[in-house]
Amino acid sequence: MVILREQTPSLDTHLWDARVRALYDYWLERCRDGCPPRRSDIDPVDLPHLLRWLWLVDVTRDAPDRPLRFRCRLMGTEHVRTMGHDPTGKWMDEAFPTFLTNPTYSDYVQVAQNAVPSYRAGMPLYHLDKNHVRMERIMLPLLGGGKTIDMMLAITVYLRGIVVSP
């Protein structure tokens, strides 16, 4: 499937955590002709202050009759520390047993199929069971060799000590 975005989405970022907004702005600057950047357009040297919160996910399209699968390519140290384990190299549905049945799975699919960012703030839904933690994250599509999304760049920041009512 060929994916080309007609325009870069416009998101209201004024209330976002500065780290999440910084990655989103960096990604936007690298979008060209209405298309997301490629992985080669992203240079970690440009983002040293964000590295510990960043993560990369590979998008796998094995067969048209199978759902998309996602493999954790890289997980930043703050993310690993907060979760208590490192899912790097693992399939998301294996590292997190409720991943496929969780509403967040559709966020991954939307990013991969529609080449649009996915922003979310609130309690962690599938990867962390701590009611005192609030998270904020954005997942950003990256083009592969053709015109399909084969990777996602993301950042998740955790804010502790905040009680979130259901």
Side-chain angles (χ1 to χ4, degrees), residues 104-120:
T104 303
Y105 174 73
S106 66
D107 293 345
Y108 282 72
V109 171
Q110 290 298 315
V111 173
Q113 289 184 334
N114 299 326
V116 294
S118 172
Y119 171 82
R120 183 177 176 288

Side-chain angles (χ1 to χ4, degrees), residues 44-161:
V45 171
D46 297 335
L47 306 165
H49 60 294
L50 300 178
L51 291 178
R52 62 186 180 177
W53 294 282
L54 295 183
W55 44 288
L56 286 170
V57 173
D58 292 320
V59 179
T60 303
R61 294 170 172 83
D62 288 335
D65 60 332
R66 290 194 181 140
L68 292 174
R69 280 193 89 190
F70 302 93
R71 184 189 307 263
C72 182
R73 176 179 281 242
L74 173 77
M75 191 63 65
T77 56
E78 277 300 313
H79 209 38
V80 170
R81 187 179 68 75
T82 302
M83 289 188 303
H85 74 286
D86 187 356
T88 299
K90 297 178 182 169
W91 293 105
M92 295 295 287
D93 55 279
E94 292 172 355
F96 306 102
T98 63
F99 179 73
L100 290 175
T101 58
N102 192 282
T104 303
Y105 174 73
S106 66
D107 293 345
Y108 282 72
V109 171
Q110 290 298 315
V111 173
Q113 289 184 334
N114 299 326
V116 294
S118 172
Y119 171 82
R120 183 177 176 288
M123 289 178 60
L125 295 178
Y126 71 91
H127 65 285
L128 192 63
D129 187 21
K130 296 181 180 179
N131 291 333
H132 67 283
V133 174
R134 181 180 173 276
M135 51 82 48
E136 190 172 336
R137 72 105 169 102
I138 192 160
M139 295 187 302
L140 304 162
L142 298 175
L143 282 174
K147 294 289 183 185
T148 59
I149 301 305
D150 73 352
M151 190 178 290
M152 292 184 281
L153 170 65
I155 187 169
T156 301
V157 296
Y158 297 96
L159 307 167
R160 288 171 176 73

